[in-house]
Amino acid sequence: DIQLTQSPSTLSASVGDRVTITCRASQSVNTWLAWYQQKPGKAPKLLIYKASTLEGGVPSRFSGSGSGTEFSLTISSLQPDDFATYYCQQYNSYWTFGQGTKVEIK
Amino acid sequence: EVQLLESGGGLVQPGGSLRLSCAASGYTLSAYGVSWVRQAPGKGLEWVSGISGSGSNTYYADSVRGRFTISRDNYKNTLWLQMHSLSAEDTAVYYCAKDGESGTSPYYFDFWGQGTLVTVSS
């Protein structure tokens, strides 16, 4: 099974900050990686798929990069609506999620 | 508009069974796979089971293989997750989620239902 490790587990940041979340896979997943945003009590929302493709309607301040085993999600200028938990997911071999990164207000 | 609506959750005793349903609409069901993903209270997301658009291929996480069965009826626009031998570790919100592309899984999930809570407790 492919394991995904996200870092950090918690990130404290302020509005306007540039933030980056990293996702490391235990073996190559090529670019078959997605990122989701989840707010309390809500279903996850797709942000990025195929490592760097922005889902329709998602603000351009979100971007993804990486391939193989190292990936990152960057928010260029953090907005109040972005405080949430973020998950990476591989879909190269079945499906696996990272443990999540909570972005909280500093 | 794509909609996924889960139902069937509730309180069940350890060792019991429960069947979850996911009513899908707004897209051609037979063209897309669907998965069940769960989230234990305060925990992260865990993929549980998936099924291809036609229903001919099914997939299970090791944690539920042999206890859970996924199925679908595209004419009824409904998917199910039959769960047996439930334990406290199965307590979670269960989401159904649609593949983002048609064809052979696996794919990312572009639409999710609102979830249904399963609580396993005596």
Side-chain angles (χ1 to χ4, degrees):
Chain A
D1 292 3
I2 299 175
Q3 311 300 320
L4 297 179
T5 303
Q6 290 182 230
S7 59
S9 295
T10 305
L11 189 159
S12 298
S14 302
V15 172
D17 285 353
R18 179 184 180 90
V19 301
T20 297
I21 299 168
T22 298
C23 178
R24 181 174 290 111
S26 59
Q27 62 189 79
S28 176
V29 299
N30 297 296
T31 56
W32 306 122
L33 190 110
W35 290 95
Y36 299 86
Q37 175 193 68
Q38 187 181 34
K39 297 182 179 179
K42 301 295 186 181
K45 172 189 174 183
L46 175 67
L47 298 175
I48 287 168
Y49 60 94
K50 206 175 180 186
S52 61
T53 302
L54 199 66
E55 172 71 343
V58 174
S60 59
R61 62 181 180 274
F62 290 92
S63 63
S65 65
S67 65
T69 61
E70 296 281 337
F71 301 87
S72 63
L73 171 71
T74 298
I75 309 173
S76 60
S77 179
L78 200 64
Q79 298 302 301
D81 190 49
D82 301 338
F83 292 97
T85 299
Y86 294 84
Y87 294 92
C88 58
Q89 176 209 37
Q90 69 82 19
Y91 52 100
N92 179 74
S93 175
Y94 295 97
W95 297 265
T96 311
F97 291 92
Q99 83 278 15
T101 295
K102 183 178 181 180
V103 177
E104 60 181 26
I105 300 173
K106 188 173 184 179
Chain B
E1 178 190 5
V2 173
Q3 289 193 338
L4 299 170
L5 185 63
E6 303 93 337
S7 61
L11 177 65
V12 60
Q13 291 190 337
S17 300
L18 205 60
R19 188 177 81 158
L20 306 182
S21 300
C22 173
S25 61
Y27 71 100
T28 304
L29 265 68
S30 60
Y32 294 86
V34 175
S35 281
W36 288 93
V37 177
R38 69 184 179 184
Q39 187 169 36
K43 302 298 184 182
L45 302 170
E46 179 189 16
W47 172 77
V48 171
S49 181
I51 188 168
S52 61
S54 66
S56 58
N57 296 305
T58 57
Y59 316 92
Y60 298 96
D62 289 345
S63 58
V64 306
R65 186 174 292 112
R67 300 189 299 122
F68 291 11
T69 302
I70 191 171
S71 60
R72 66 189 296 162
D73 184 330
N74 289 334
Y75 294 102
K76 294 183 177 179
N77 296 337
T78 303
L79 299 96
W80 296 277
L81 185 68
Q82 178 69 56
M83 305 185 293
H84 296 294
S85 303
L86 289 164
S87 70
E89 287 68 39
D90 297 312
T91 294
V93 173
Y94 286 72
Y95 297 99
C96 59
K98 168 189 165 290
D99 278 359
E101 297 181 29
S102 62
T104 303
S105 288
Y107 290 111
Y108 53 93
F109 304 139
D110 63 346
F111 284 95
W112 298 61
Q114 86 292 345
T116 187
L117 176 62
V118 173
T119 303
V120 184
S121 175
S122 55

